[in-house]
């Protein structure tokens, strides 16, 4: 029983479980990640949607700077990534983020690990205009 393990299959079941934990992940974000993982099977997700309780507990622990509703994760518009490269124990391997993830970020996504990011957060990728989508009510709170 339990969750499947992350596997470098190009279409990781565990990553899919994390995405499917909440309904309604941003469609283009999912398509982008699926194709990125197909090309780079070492890419994985540690967090996608984030519910209220988890968001507030992360805020209290200082892991997130955002209260509930103020993070793109609360609106199914963000992913936190890591890499599983055989022989590389560091799942937050800087070279990989810079040379593999960085160039694969389309202009409608923001990666917080890029140089000059306002809030540096290596694993975090979010849909650039998520706040507009919230105002336009085209995205919903996680869990709703
Ligand atoms: Zn995975
Ligand atoms: Zn994040």
């Amino acid at each position: 029983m339990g969750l499947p393990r992350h596997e470098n299959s190009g279409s990781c079941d565990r990553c899919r479980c994390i995405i499917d934990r909440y309904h309604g992940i941003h469609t283009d974000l999912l398509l982008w990640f699926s194709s990125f993982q197909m090309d780079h099977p070492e890419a994985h997700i540690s967090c996608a949607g984030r519910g209220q309780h988890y968001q507030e507990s992360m805020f209290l622990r200082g892991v997130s700077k955002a209260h509930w509703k103020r993070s793109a994760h609360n609106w199914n518009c963000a992913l936190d990534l890591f890499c599983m490269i055989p022989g590389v124990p560091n799942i937050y391997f800087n070279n990989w983020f810079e040379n593999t993830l960085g160039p694969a970020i389309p202009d409608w996504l923001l990666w917080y690990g890029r140089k000059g990011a306002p809030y540096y957060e290596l694993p975090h990728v979010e849909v650039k205009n998520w706040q507009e989508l919230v105002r336009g009510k085209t995205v919903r709170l996680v869990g709703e």
Side-chain angles (χ1 to χ4, degrees):
M1 275 303 288
L3 292 168
R5 299 161 65 100
H6 286 288
E7 280 191 86
N8 291 356
S9 61
S11 164
C12 173
D13 288 340
R14 176 67 171 268
C15 286
R16 179 51 62 135
C17 285
I18 292 169
I19 286 171
D20 288 346
R21 181 168 171 202
Y22 296 107
H23 174 74
I25 187 83
H26 187 281
T27 312
D28 288 343
L29 183 60
L30 175 58
L31 288 173
W32 169 78
F33 178 75
S34 302
S35 128
F36 179 65
Q37 191 177 54
M38 202 69 94
D39 293 342
H40 303 282
E42 72 280 12
H44 294 276
I45 294 171
S46 62
C47 179
R50 197 183 283 156
Q52 181 167 11
H53 180 79
Y54 189 45
Q55 182 64 41
E56 289 301 334
S57 77
M58 288 194 73
F59 181 83
L60 289 176
R61 279 158 45 213
V63 180
S64 173
K65 292 178 185 69
H67 274 298
W68 170 239
K69 298 185 184 182
R70 298 283 177 86
S71 163
H73 286 288
N74 306 147
W75 299 91
N76 261 320
C77 287
L79 300 174
D80 292 338
L81 306 181
F82 66 96
C83 57
M84 282 194 338
I85 304 168
V88 178
N90 182 7
I91 63 170
Y92 298 109
F93 186 46
N94 243 295
N95 273 353
W96 183 84
F97 278 89
E98 269 173 36
N99 300 319
T100 302
L101 178 66
I105 299 286
D107 60 7
W108 52 273
L109 282 181
L110 276 182
W111 169 43
Y112 277 29
R114 76 192 189 282
K115 286 192 174 65
Y119 307 101
Y120 181 76
E121 205 190 316
L122 187 67
H124 182 92
V125 169
E126 69 179 34
V127 176
K128 208 180 253 182
N129 69 342
W130 69 271
Q131 281 143 319
E132 263 171 61
L133 300 178
V134 169
R135 284 193 294 273
K137 296 188 168 37
T138 57
V139 291
R140 285 196 210 160
L141 272 173
V142 160
E144 276 188 352

